[in-house]
Amino acid sequence: MKAIRTIGFTGTIASGKTSRCKRLVEVAQQRQQHVSTATGAVEYSASPPSDLDCDREVRPQAIPSSRVRVHYINADLVGHYIYEPGKPCYYDLLQHFGTAVLSAPAPVEPAGHTASSSAPGLSGAGRGSGDAAPSGKAEPRIDRRVLGEIVFSEERKLQELNSICWPYITAAIKAEYEKVCASLRPTYPPFTEPARSSPSSARPPTAAAPPSPSPSTASDAAAVTAPTVGLVIIEAALLCEMTEVLELTTDLWMTHCSPATAIDRVMMRNHISREAAERRVASQLDVEQKLRKLRHLPYKGDIEVFDTTQVSLAEGLKETEAAFDRFWRNKIAVHL
């Protein structure tokens, strides 16, 4: 592994962050596939010997691999996961906001059945092994719409929600990120010293029985089991406020639009009143506040900013593709 680049993708409310980040992930995965196909990269794994040469040492076998590996982490999905029934955050939210945030009761589970929830790449300890209540009934989920109405009605309540959820979200993202980094590191099989033979029994190698690889050759073969470059994309609306997650990134991409445009888009998207939309827009930092926060840290990575106020979605997706082309040339291709 020569490098791990991590793009943090964030944006102000209703600025098109989700659509553009989705396109970024798509083009990154397409580029990964293209590199794998074009280079014919291989990795090595031990395969069992055949019946005809079972007395020979196992040789590494080439199987398809990729020199670039892309991994995507969505903080919003992580947030949904950490307050599912059975998770510690679920009970913290109930204790703070009360049962009014719960959806309609879930149907009764069959006797002896324990429901469980999981998310790819995430692991979280709940109050028990699943989301079943002690009575055997599945616990109702938190209604995000109701919770949103509560926290967006008053800034203090939104801050309280963030103070409860952010530590869990941060821990889950960091745990997944570490798993990704661990999977990108090369693994070396234990070295077994070849059996020594007496001079009288030594025979020159033949085509049917090639010499065993030297320790350095075996290590080189194992080393290519890891890709050359890892690219992690973390999407989070409040990334600038989540310092520990922000520190994982090497680059930051940010979308934004004018407050007036954001209000109109939120009204249309969420089917809410102008007053409610104004409260939601005002509840988040604007682009200048986010950039000031980054300068204050200071943020050491490169920052790419996209103003989507007067940009159509199609134009915005093309901007994302062009930005990734530059990113690829300057920060990925140089390692291949």
Side-chain angles (χ1 to χ4, degrees):
M1 170 61 60
K2 292 184 178 179
I4 297 179
R5 306 294 304 190
T6 303
I7 297 177
F9 207 115
T10 189
T12 60
I13 188 170
S15 62
K17 167 187 64 66
T18 299
S19 299
R20 286 159 176 77
C21 188
K22 179 181 178 181
R23 185 56 184 152
L24 170 63
V25 174
E26 290 173 348
V27 295
Q29 291 174 338
Q30 290 170 3
R31 195 65 61 90
Q32 170 187 278
Q33 181 62 35
H34 174 75
V35 170
S36 178
T37 303
T39 61
V42 297
E43 66 181 18
Y44 295 88
S45 67
S47 61
S50 66
D51 294 336
L52 296 178
D53 54 0
C54 58
D55 59 333
R56 288 168 50 192
E57 182 177 345
V58 175
R59 301 284 294 170
Q61 302 295 317
I63 59 177
S65 179
S66 175
R67 297 172 65 191
V68 179
R69 186 174 301 168
V70 178
H71 188 84
Y72 170 58
I73 301 175
N74 186 318
D76 195 35
L77 295 182
V78 174
H80 297 175
Y81 173 73
I82 57 100
Y83 60 68
E84 285 185 348
K87 305 299 178 186
C89 188
Y90 174 87
Y91 301 108
D92 289 351
L93 290 174
L94 289 188
Q95 183 177 7
H96 189 82
F97 292 103
T99 57
V101 299
L102 293 177
S103 60
V108 177
E109 296 289 341
H113 175 76
T114 301
S116 62
S117 59
S118 62
L122 295 176
S123 59
R127 187 168 67 176
S129 59
D131 58 0
S135 63
K137 296 182 179 180
E139 295 179 300
R141 296 179 179 274
I142 290 176
D143 190 321
R144 296 181 63 221
R145 181 187 60 80
V146 173
L147 182 60
E149 290 175 352
I150 293 174
V151 300
F152 285 116
S153 66
E154 188 177 342
E155 183 178 356
R156 175 181 59 84
K157 293 180 180 179
L158 180 60
Q159 293 174 349
E160 292 169 352
L161 173 69
N162 291 337
S163 67
I164 294 172
C165 293
W166 281 4
Y168 290 109
I169 295 175
T170 297
I173 291 177
K174 291 176 69 175
E176 183 173 0
Y177 185 83
E178 179 53 37
K179 288 182 181 179
V180 173
C181 292
S183 71
L184 295 174
R185 301 186 188 107
T187 56
Y188 296 90
F191 170 66
T192 303
E193 186 175 354
R196 299 182 180 276
S197 58
S198 62
S200 59
S201 62
R203 293 180 299 173
T206 65
S212 300
S214 65
S216 61
T217 303
S219 297
D220 291 342
V224 297
T225 61
T228 305
V229 184
L231 173 58
V232 182
I233 300 171
I234 303 176
E235 179 185 356
L238 302 179
L239 182 59
C240 294
E241 292 87 335
M242 303 172 69
T243 306
E244 290 185 52
V245 178
L246 184 64
E247 290 174 348
L248 302 177
T249 67
T250 57
D251 298 80
L252 185 69
W253 292 19
M254 183 189 305
T255 59
H256 73 96
C257 63
S258 69
T261 300
I263 291 169
D264 290 340
R265 290 175 179 175
V266 170
M267 289 174 60
M268 182 178 299
R269 182 188 68 188
N270 294 26
H271 306 290
I272 58 178
S273 67
R274 175 169 293 276
E275 182 182 1
E278 289 173 347
R279 285 199 302 268
R280 294 204 176 192
V281 172
S283 69
Q284 295 189 12
L285 300 180
D286 62 29
V287 62
E288 292 302 327
Q289 291 172 316
K290 289 178 181 288
L291 291 174
R292 278 200 301 271
K293 187 176 183 66
L294 292 171
R295 288 192 293 267
H296 178 72
L297 286 175
Y299 182 70
K300 298 180 181 179
D302 293 330
I303 302 174
E304 187 96 28
V305 180
F306 306 90
D307 185 348
T308 70
T309 302
Q310 297 181 338
V311 177
S312 69
L313 177 58
E315 292 170 335
L317 298 183
K318 290 181 179 179
E319 284 183 350
T320 302
E321 294 171 7
F324 183 73
D325 283 341
R326 295 191 299 271
F327 176 87
W328 179 271
R329 289 195 304 270
N330 298 330
K331 300 184 179 182
I332 301 293
V334 292
H335 297 293
L336 300 178

